[in-house]
Amino acid sequence: MMQQRLLPAALVLAGIWLVYGCSGGETGAMGTTGSAGTSGTAGTTGSAGAAGTTGAAGRGGTGGTTGVGGRGGTTGTGATTGTGGAPATSSLCTWPTATSTLMLMSTQAISGTYDGGMRRFVGAGPLGTSGQAENQDPLLKIANGATLQNLIIGSPAADGIHCDGTCTLKNVWWEDVGEDAATLEGTEASQVMTIDGGGARSASDKVFQHNGPGTMIIKNFCVQDFGKLYRSCGNCTMQYARHVQLQNVMVVPSSSSSALVGVNTNYNDTATFKSILVKAATNSLTICQRYTGNNTGAEPPKNGSGADGTVCMYAASDISWMP
């Protein structure tokens, strides 16, 4: 088990003041927009249009103008990015600018809903590492049932984020992945880790590591310059059936990219893909690499790749290529 270290009380209070004291303004700004949307309830019509390309165009048209002021308009925008099986777009890779930077010298525990206000979190002291050494501590440890949203993980980032069970990472961006961007731990087959929005780049090995059982969902996401986007642990002491679902993902591989996903056939892993756009020559990246996993710590051998209808599940139409 990874030892968890908490920030000293004074530093935690200061961090909370920095993060939440500043983010209050952002929340207020959104509230102003929402109140203006009283008449924007007609934006429900715009939300229904999100199943097609009408929703995106509507932002410049009559229906879109009505929806912008209302909460329905916001929902319509989110639906546009993930509906109808349309391929992902390069707009997913629009990187945010940090509002400020917060340094963490020990792992910060997160429960409930934590909004980072688009601050950049970086490691310092014992967490000031950015290499591939195993068993590094994470910057943030997310409790079962918690949500982490609206923040940037900078460099150095140690072992990024650990989730202890079901969790949601919403609009989280990794500027330079350390050992891993995020890891799903926990012990329940029913647990689900959802990564919704955001992006990761400069991962010399994996972006997302799946050590516990359950399902990882990666959607509306950008990944650039990586080894693998997802890997089901191939040689953990405790092995489980693990599942990953990718939807609406923009992929920008590099010469170091070996596969989009890696899964174990002998533990009944599954990987499904919908609306994947790869900015590379057709078939130049392995979409789904299959392995024979083990619990001895040995390097797992490959045993095939590509769609097979059982472990790696996708059709040719689910993957679009953009040289």
Side-chain angles (χ1 to χ4, degrees), residues 96-123:
T97 300
T99 56
S100 61
T101 297
L102 180 65
M103 302 183 72
L104 298 178
M105 295 189 67
S106 62
T107 300
Q108 182 170 338
I110 302 296
S111 60
T113 297
Y114 187 100
D115 192 307
M118 296 315 297
R119 277 70 177 172
R120 177 187 290 113
F121 287 66
V122 299

Side-chain angles (χ1 to χ4, degrees), residues 280-285 321-323:
T282 302
N283 298 326
S284 60
L285 174 70
W321 302 85
M322 184 178 69

